[in-house]
Amino acid sequence: MALEQSVEQFKGKARLPDFVVPKVYDLFLKPDLSSSCKFAGAVQIAVDVVAATRFVVLNASDLAVEDGSVSFKAKSSSQVLRPVNIVTVEEDEILIIQFSEVLPTGEGILSIGFQGTLTDKMKGFYRSVYEHNGEKKNMAVTQFEPADARRCFPCWDEPAFKAKFKITLEVPSELVALSNMPVTEEKQNGSLKTLYFQESPIMSTYLVAVVVGMFDYVEAQTTDGTTVRVYCQVGKSNQGKFALDVAVKTLDLYKDYFAVPYPLPKLDMVAIPDFAAGAMENYGLVTYRETALLFDDRHSAASNKQRVAVVVAHELAHQWFGNLVTMEWWTHLWLNEGFATWVSYLSADSIFPEWKVWTQFLSESTSGLRLDALDGSHPIEVEINHASEIDEIFDEISYRKGASVIRMLQSYLGAETFQRGLASYVKKFAYSNAKTEDLWAVLEEESGEPVKKVMSSWTKQQGYPVVSVKKSDGKLELNQTQFLSSGATGSGKWIVPVTFCCGSYDAQKKFLLEDVHSKVDLTGLNGAWIKLNSNQTGFYRVNYDDELASGLKFAIESKQLTASDRYGVLDDSYALCMACKQNLSSLISLLAAYREESEYTVLSHIIGISLKVVSLVADAAPELLRGIKEFFIGLFEPFASKLGWDPKEGEGHSDAMLRGELLTVLSELGHTVTINEALKRFNAFVEDRDTPLLPPDTRKAAYIAAMQTTNSSNKSGFESLLRVYRESDLSQEKVRILGALGSSPDPTVVLEVLNFLLTSEVRNQDVVHGLGGINIEGRDVAWTWLKDNWDYISKTWGSGFLITRFIAYIVSSFTSNEKGNEVEEFFATRTKPSIARTIKQSVERIHINANWVRSIKNDKSLGDVVNQLSVHKV
């Protein structure tokens, strides 16, 4: 009952009151795409007053509510009520409408007129800039997830307040205007047209979408006859064909997998030039960064192709998991994102089996494991007390740990049982909201297994275990403790679905490890090696004693382990080394067993490890740096030589990706032969962009070589790259160049690059790509630059998640406790809820690096191991 309440009682709350509930929004929007970039709007909301109240409380932010435009009319009365007080509380992003008399319970219409600005913040109703016939133009775009529909129109902007939407747009006649549903009527009025869109099914506000601009499109139909279109900038429609093909096949696949047809009459996918995230799953109108939707046969790399396929599959999975069945509150965000991530691999594997994406999925798991090994991580289910906290949980925990525990559960229950359970869940909660427990209940009913008991230990507490294992008296002794990269011991305890193989994949065992300690009888299991977490389907690490580790090294050298298990053995050893539970010398010895490795995912991981190890050795033991580089060059160069610079007729997708990564790392490690060849091909490319000497897969390697040889007295490589950047209109090419610019060894050049990132030549969404490529020579100058420019950066990017990348990318590679303290001190007076978690995690990473550097300094056998193994000269 909200009779006696005052305006004050609605402030500072996590959730809106529920005494008035929206049922249907009739929304009119008129964006002005001229230089003013304003928009006018009006909304009539059919509501249900469920308890006597004088107040209506809903969300609104950055909107000017027009005086005299607000009214309420009950269905049961002819009287129109006008408010006595309208209060906007900006810090809580709410609009409080107070009436002099009690609103009658039952149905009524709330009307509000409003105005707003199309900002360049890439959230709410915003403007994106594109070129048409050489002229810059504005398009109007929405991005409402997680909580920004309130910046476009007053609404109950929480996932549980589902309603229907009838949208009307008034736009210039020559433009394309899209929304979630098809157009039912169009009226011309001189230079303007009014479009009336079909009423939507019940859905959450964060999924409402509008796009207005100039577009071409390609289209196709699913087997059900649903029209699918890909909209691109004029002249780029051919670049939408690959995504269109993936979308049609994916919709058909999901219809069968979820046993529910696609719920809407059409699906549009649109490439947006300015877009903060990768993509957004708006119901029936999915928006994307250009890099995540467009594929150009001549200028896109194999990795770009795979990204498009996986992102499209991810967004379309949301049409069921997220849009049809929606999380009840942001605490359950992982239900949306973890599932969409996992299912996108299911789709990509079905359409492109030759890509071996389930092996590549391990890189998703690893990202989750890395973040979740921090004390500053968070549980999969995280309490959200204010809208400003939501952005930061769109992270590796919600997406990648979420996807990984789902894969672990699927492996434990069996694929068929799991699929049946998911189909039941989608059917049961269609057009409504669900919590994590609802999913567990359905899966438990379907499988007869204690799903809630097992999974609660993975979603309600942060972190994961490391299972230490040794062999003793014919038994396997297991011991679980929480794994932390700091080397500290955590207090968590999990129910772990353990699988293991003994000498072969025919001899497999699985059981639930419910206690801290356990023993398993090995009677009848005889093998030269034992591998826990078979094929890495579990979200945990394994620490083997010396005898078992030696057996696994033999199994790797004799090619007895699957690619997934070779990856897992290495990643666990690397993580234990980071936590100072193993010496770097033992990790280097293990890496030597991978000399004949040829699997893309495993080699790609070794490449990532090599760059981290090299950067740490540069700080901890510079006298060994040359030897470490020679060791890694010796690992990579033979396979890089075999692949060569030029694509081979009929070669596989993964060979194309591997060629680029191997040549890139050899450039980064300073391999003279690779750099010289790269420069020769780069110079030919600068003169002729269509030269066959530098196809897209090898361009990054050449770009990095160009920057590696750039310094204050010779900037020709940098200048040539800027020329290519300025002359390219392909977003993927621009991003590739930005990712290479920071690799000059000269800090003066790095500073010039950083200042270039803040110019109008780089879209705000793309700046972080330039930050991700800065090498250790540039990190001090980058940190000074960040501090000097913080006020501008905070003002420009501070309202979205991109600002967290500025912090993480620039400071996380420092390796001294002093630097960690300095970073903490700088942000102490500059923190706010949207970056607090990132600051804490970044500082923790610096302290972890500092511990690791100290451990490397104390590793007495490292020099001998490096000298023994480094045979290849730089």
Side-chain angles (χ1 to χ4, degrees), residues 86 97 215 221 270 366 379 411 435 555 563 582 662 687-688 802:
I86 300 173
I97 303 169
F215 297 100
Q221 266 76 35
V270 192
T366 296
S411 177
K435 297 180 178 180
Q582 278 184 13
L662 284 168
E687 295 313 312
D688 172 16
L802 287 173

Side-chain angles (χ1 to χ4, degrees), residues 529-549:
W529 50 268
I530 290 174
K531 168 70 177 63
L532 261 71
N533 195 7
S534 301
N535 284 314
Q536 296 301 112
T537 55
F539 193 78
Y540 59 94
R541 298 209 175 278
V542 184
N543 186 5
Y544 299 93
D545 72 356
D546 289 346
E547 182 194 346
L548 292 172

Side-chain angles (χ1 to χ4, degrees), residues 170-186:
E170 189 174 304
V171 298
S173 297
E174 73 277 10
L175 299 184
V176 173
L178 306 169
S179 187
N180 307 81
M181 302 296 287
V183 173
T184 55
E185 190 185 352
E186 181 175 323

Side-chain angles (χ1 to χ4, degrees), residues 228-245:
V228 182
R229 288 181 175 176
V230 175
Y231 285 86
C232 328
Q233 285 185 54
V234 174
K236 288 188 177 182
S237 60
N238 271 348
Q239 295 177 24
K241 286 181 175 173
F242 174 68
L244 179 68
D245 182 51

Side-chain angles (χ1 to χ4, degrees), residues 169-466:
L169 300 177
E170 189 174 304
V171 298
S173 297
E174 73 277 10
L175 299 184
V176 173
L178 306 169
S179 187
N180 307 81
M181 302 296 287
V183 173
T184 55
E185 190 185 352
E186 181 175 323
K187 289 180 182 171
Q188 289 289 338
N189 181 14
S191 63
L192 295 175
K193 62 183 176 184
T194 305
L195 301 173
Y196 301 86
F197 292 86
Q198 186 179 327
E199 184 175 278
S200 76
I202 187 172
M203 65 183 194
S204 302
T205 48
Y206 78 86
L207 295 166
V208 174
V210 168
V211 176
V212 182
M214 296 191 82
F215 297 100
D216 282 345
Y217 67 85
V218 285
E219 78 170 33
Q221 266 76 35
T222 65
T223 52
D224 280 354
T226 303
T227 298
V228 182
R229 288 181 175 176
V230 175
Y231 285 86
C232 328
Q233 285 185 54
V234 174
K236 288 188 177 182
S237 60
N238 271 348
Q239 295 177 24
K241 286 181 175 173
F242 174 68
L244 179 68
D245 182 51
V246 170
V248 168
K249 288 174 178 167
T250 299
L251 284 181
D252 285 337
L253 180 94
Y254 289 161
K255 176 193 72 175
D256 294 338
Y257 191 81
F258 294 119
V260 172
Y262 172 67
L264 299 187
K266 59 91 177 174
L267 172 72
D268 295 329
M269 307 199 299
V270 192
I272 307 295
D274 300 282
F275 198 79
M280 176 60 213
E281 68 269 18
N282 314 299
Y283 221 176
L285 177 56
V286 185
T287 45
Y288 296 80
R289 269 189 187 219
E290 291 191 333
T291 50
L293 187 68
L294 306 184
F295 180 78
D296 180 321
D297 284 325
R298 290 188 315 133
H299 295 292
S300 298
S303 56
N304 298 132
K305 188 175 199 174
Q306 183 170 311
R307 173 159 167 74
V308 169
V310 171
V311 175
V312 167
H314 178 107
E315 302 311 322
L316 299 197
H318 278 309
Q319 305 303 306
W320 284 263
F321 241 93
N323 301 10
L324 183 61
V325 181
T326 309
M327 70 216 153
E328 192 274 336
W329 179 239
W330 298 104
T331 294
H332 308 281
L333 172 70
W334 85 279
L335 278 180
N336 277 15
E337 300 304 349
F339 259 92
T341 302
W342 174 78
V343 173
S344 66
Y345 278 79
L346 196 81
S347 166
D349 185 54
S350 173
I351 300 170
F352 304 104
E354 70 281 7
W355 289 3
K356 300 180 183 171
V357 293
W358 279 119
T359 308
Q360 292 189 53
F361 179 82
L362 295 176
S363 64
E364 301 270 5
S365 296
T366 296
S367 294
L369 288 163
R370 287 272 178 279
L371 178 52
D372 211 24
L374 298 182
D375 188 51
S377 179
H378 62 85
I380 281 179
E381 293 182 67
V382 61
E383 286 304 315
I384 295 293
N385 298 309
H386 195 279
S388 62
E389 298 172 10
I390 305 169
D391 265 336
E392 272 202 312
I393 62 162
F394 282 80
D395 63 5
E396 279 91 347
I397 301 300
S398 297
Y399 284 72
R400 290 164 174 170
K401 182 181 181 180
S404 301
V405 299
I406 287 158
R407 185 169 184 238
M408 178 166 71
L409 180 60
Q410 184 217 24
S411 177
Y412 170 60
L413 297 179
E416 284 180 24
T417 303
F418 191 68
Q419 182 180 352
R420 280 198 312 273
L422 283 189
S424 301
Y425 169 80
V426 170
K427 207 169 185 175
K428 184 173 181 179
F429 292 96
Y431 301 107
S432 65
N433 298 80
K435 297 180 178 180
T436 302
E437 288 74 15
D438 296 322
L439 177 61
W440 298 159
V442 173
L443 288 170
E444 198 158 296
E445 196 178 323
E446 194 66 52
S447 65
E449 296 285 348
V451 175
K452 184 181 176 186
K453 180 183 160 191
V454 173
M455 296 310 291
S456 291
S457 75
W458 295 93
T459 64
K460 291 190 181 298
Q461 63 178 339
Q462 75 179 54
Y464 58 87
V466 54

Side-chain angles (χ1 to χ4, degrees), residues 468-540:
S468 298
V469 56
K470 64 179 182 180
K471 206 168 153 186
S472 176
D473 300 328
K475 287 187 169 60
L476 206 57
E477 292 185 10
L478 299 103
N479 184 44
Q480 66 155 305
T481 54
Q482 183 175 352
F483 179 80
L484 289 165
S485 292
S486 63
T489 305
S491 57
K493 182 185 155 200
W494 288 262
I495 299 176
V496 190
V498 172
T499 52
F500 72 92
C501 298
C502 195
S504 106
Y505 287 90
D506 299 329
Q508 283 209 49
K509 266 201 167 188
K510 68 176 188 176
F511 62 96
L512 285 178
L513 174 63
E514 299 192 44
D515 298 315
V516 173
H517 308 284
S518 187
K519 290 186 179 182
V520 182
D521 191 357
L522 292 174
T523 307
L525 293 170
N526 298 311
W529 50 268
I530 290 174
K531 168 70 177 63
L532 261 71
N533 195 7
S534 301
N535 284 314
Q536 296 301 112
T537 55
F539 193 78
Y540 59 94

